[in-house]
Amino acid sequence: MKILLLVHSSTGNTRLVARFAARHLEARGHQVLFVGLGPEPPPDPRGFDLVGMASPTMYFRPMVAVETWLERLPERPGERRPAFLLATCAGEPGAHFELQARQLARKGLRVVGAHWVPMPSNWPPHRVLSRKLAPALPLGRLLSSGPLRPLRVGWGFLWTEVTEPDARDRRELETFLDDLPERSRTVASAAPERPYRPWLPGAAYLGRTMGPREMRKATAVRIDPAACRRCGSCVRACPSGCLTRPDPAQPPVVGDGCTGCWACYNRCPHDAIAGWASPPGLGRYAGPTASARAVFGGAADARDRG
């Protein structure tokens, strides 16, 4: 099969998983074109047997920057080209797959399967809270091990470390990927509305109701002019393009398009960005850990953080 894999990653977690997926599919004899979100529109899905979209879950929904990018695909509602969804999430995708499947359906892409991989939260306010609960982390690990393993995504709301992926997560992803050729043959009967049913009550509703305005209410970031070294890391990291440098000698300016993804906060190397409940640098997420890279076979490459 000729596969188009569209990818966006805020901190590197999703890119790590997507790179693994691409290698796995190629090892099975498929051709994979790996395309990351950028200024250019996504490639035309025509000419591909299968299309995949890999992106992070943010506020129980897809990232707004990803939705904006996918809107640049041509409208082909009458077509039924098979597609699949991958996500990384700290605890619950909510309405992520539902909303993304509906959007792709208008582009002539019918989702035949969706899968998500747990990863530690990269949301700074959450990480700040989890840090305060660190003394009780051994209890969290105990409550997330053995027969209690399915509960770890719930405990991840308290201790971010318990959602580190493991070998079982890798095997489950491999099984999903191996089933894609057979799933693709069911495209005529694929139902895009509910490719995944959330386990957390209310998560899908929250995802449906969250928009850029709601995201910004408690997530606005601010740049400390004294600490900022004008390196431009935050501007390059911003997927929404709302951070600009009209004057290179001055700190970047936060515009109106912020959707609260905190990519700038996590990528600032000088701890010059602060936000709600997050002093500068305190809750930064540096990207996939060594153990996550070991699970998915990813090298410690700074280029794969974005």
Side-chain angles (χ1 to χ4, degrees):
M1 297 179 71
K2 189 176 180 182
I3 302 172
L4 172 62
L5 183 55
L6 305 174
V7 181
H8 176 60
S9 185
S10 177
T11 60
N13 286 342
T14 306
R15 185 174 293 267
L16 177 70
V17 171
R19 289 287 188 195
F20 173 85
R23 292 194 303 270
H24 184 84
L25 291 168
E26 288 171 342
R28 297 298 187 270
H30 305 294
Q31 299 178 44
V32 180
L33 176 61
F34 188 103
V35 179
L37 182 150
E40 298 298 321
D44 193 325
R46 288 185 173 180
F48 293 91
D49 304 306
L50 180 65
V51 177
M53 181 69 236
S55 58
T57 294
M58 187 174 79
Y59 306 111
F60 303 113
R61 71 187 307 282
M63 292 184 68
V64 174
V66 173
E67 290 181 324
T68 302
W69 191 47
L70 292 179
E71 275 304 307
R72 301 175 73 182
L73 288 169
E75 294 272 347
R76 294 191 178 116
E79 292 189 8
R80 285 181 174 268
R81 194 173 305 276
F84 68 96
L85 304 177
L86 289 177
T88 54
C89 181
E92 170 58 72
H96 180 132
F97 294 137
E98 173 188 340
L99 296 175
Q100 209 160 65
R102 288 181 178 177
Q103 182 182 26
L104 292 180
R106 292 188 287 104
K107 308 298 181 177
L109 299 168
R110 293 287 175 169
V111 171
V112 297
H115 184 84
W116 65 283
V117 176
M119 282 283 185
S121 173
N122 57 37
W123 192 46
H126 186 190
R127 295 184 65 81
V128 170
L129 172 63
S130 183
R131 185 172 177 175
K132 295 177 181 179
L133 300 174
L137 179 58
L139 174 62
R141 295 193 187 282
L142 178 64
L143 295 173
S144 307
S145 60
L148 299 177
R149 185 178 183 275
L151 300 177
R152 65 183 174 141
V153 293
W155 293 122
F157 285 103
L158 298 179
W159 301 283
T160 61
E161 293 86 350
V162 301
T163 51
E164 280 282 352
D166 56 25
R168 182 172 170 181
D169 293 308
R170 183 185 64 241
R171 291 193 298 270
E172 290 173 351
L173 175 58
E174 289 172 336
T175 299
F176 171 78
L177 296 171
D178 290 340
D179 288 344
L180 284 175
E182 180 63 30
R183 287 172 178 264
S184 297
R185 285 189 274 272
T186 69
V187 65
S189 60
E193 290 78 12
R194 296 297 295 271
Y196 165 80
R197 294 187 180 278
W199 62 268
L200 181 65
Y205 172 78
L206 289 173
R208 295 187 202 104
T209 57
M210 290 295 287
R213 179 181 177 183
E214 289 73 24
M215 295 175 187
R216 286 196 297 268
K217 286 182 179 178
T219 57
V221 295
R222 57 186 181 278
I223 299 174
D224 182 354
C228 177
R229 300 188 185 180
R230 284 64 165 171
C231 69
S233 295
C234 58
V235 176
R236 293 189 293 273
C238 179
S240 300
C242 71
L243 276 170
T244 58
R245 299 180 70 191
D247 183 350
Q250 298 298 320
V253 177
V254 183
D256 295 332
C258 178
T259 59
C261 75
W262 295 71
C264 59
Y265 185 103
N266 285 320
R267 294 289 290 277
C268 177
H270 309 298
D271 296 343
I273 301 178
W276 173 75
S278 300
L282 185 60
R284 281 186 68 205
Y285 182 73
T289 63
S291 62
R293 292 195 299 269
V295 167
F296 292 108
D301 188 341
R303 292 172 301 177
D304 275 356
R305 287 196 58 212

